[in-house]
Amino acid sequence: MHEILDKVKSSPDIYKQLAATIESVEVRETQAISFVNPYSYLLLRNNRQLVADLDCLYTDAISSAKIFSLLFSQKIPRISFDLGSYARHFFEQANQHKLPIYLLGAKEAEINNAVAIFKKEYPNLNIVGYRDGYFSDDVAVMQAIVDSGAQYVICGMGTPRQDEFAVKLKQFQQGKIKQVYTCGGFLHQSSERLEYYPHFINRFNLRWLYRALTNSYVAKRLFFDYPKFVFKVLADFFTKSKGH
């Protein structure tokens, strides 16, 4: 079985993971946490080392969650870093405990708008730093994150760039950051409004349809990449991982 599938199957409860880091005063270990959907699965599957360096991997699409649940004969929930899923819980906890967080991603105007929206909704949110996701000097940005005192980093720069940066930051910061999350287009989406998806879209798990109707590139992924994902994931499930 491919490493991605193994990691999705074995990743612990994400809510308990966060609670444990909040309770712990010291940084015992840094967790690089990412999320995979049919499109990003195809981008990550050939980068086995990157997958191995991620600590936890969850599936953020209903379609892949159903397929994984069927293959593993166990419930694999959809968990995504958006306000229809895990991000709401994270921000509520961050607001309550004043967790020092750093936001990284989107364009400059978009991240500025997103931060203003977050602060209005969560007045006790302790955002110690933020910046856009367009830069070439990773070391300078990582140092700025460390200097900010952040213990939680939200990184949205697209797959695999955000995953690679999360791993690099984990290895760079030497026990100062508790968790690094990737979040895809969450920061970009949040620059428009807090609730990106209409209520009924979230309720009936129609986020894929909403995005397909509002973003042409998503429609192309649905027609071309998602069918390819089904064939690839079946082949990966029945193929032994290297070293086994």
Side-chain angles (χ1 to χ4, degrees), residues 110-122 127 130:
E110 292 172 338
I111 189 66
N112 290 341
N113 290 341
V115 167
I117 290 173
F118 293 150
K119 286 184 175 180
K120 182 177 180 180
E121 181 69 15
Y122 303 101
I127 299 177
Y130 61 92

Side-chain angles (χ1 to χ4, degrees), residues 127-240:
I127 299 177
V128 296
Y130 61 92
R131 66 150 295 150
D132 64 84
Y134 296 86
F135 54 88
S136 56
D137 191 343
D138 286 4
V139 174
V141 173
M142 290 189 293
Q143 188 62 57
I145 293 173
V146 171
D147 292 343
S148 74
Q151 292 186 340
Y152 298 85
V153 179
I154 314 302
C155 176
M157 298 188 291
T159 305
R161 169 66 167 144
Q162 61 188 10
D163 307 88
E164 294 168 345
F165 185 85
V167 169
K168 288 178 69 174
L169 179 59
K170 169 189 171 181
Q171 297 169 343
F172 173 85
Q173 50 77 45
Q174 298 176 340
K176 298 182 184 299
I177 296 172
K178 292 182 176 182
Q179 292 184 320
V180 184
Y181 293 95
T182 69
C183 69
F186 171 68
L187 296 174
H188 159 72
Q189 294 168 357
S190 299
S191 69
E192 301 176 18
R193 55 189 179 276
L194 188 67
E195 298 287 352
Y196 179 73
Y197 297 104
H199 176 68
F200 76 93
I201 293 291
N202 267 325
R203 181 180 179 185
F204 294 104
N205 293 318
L206 295 174
R207 289 169 293 272
W208 60 273
L209 180 59
Y210 182 83
R211 293 196 65 203
L213 293 174
T214 55
N215 298 278
S216 60
Y217 71 90
V218 176
K220 292 179 181 179
R221 290 178 184 176
L222 286 173
F223 283 110
F224 296 104
D225 293 316
Y226 278 42
K228 186 186 299 183
F229 160 76
V230 175
F231 289 106
K232 293 292 186 181
V233 78
L234 288 175
D236 291 342
F237 180 73
F238 292 106
T239 300
K240 290 184 177 180

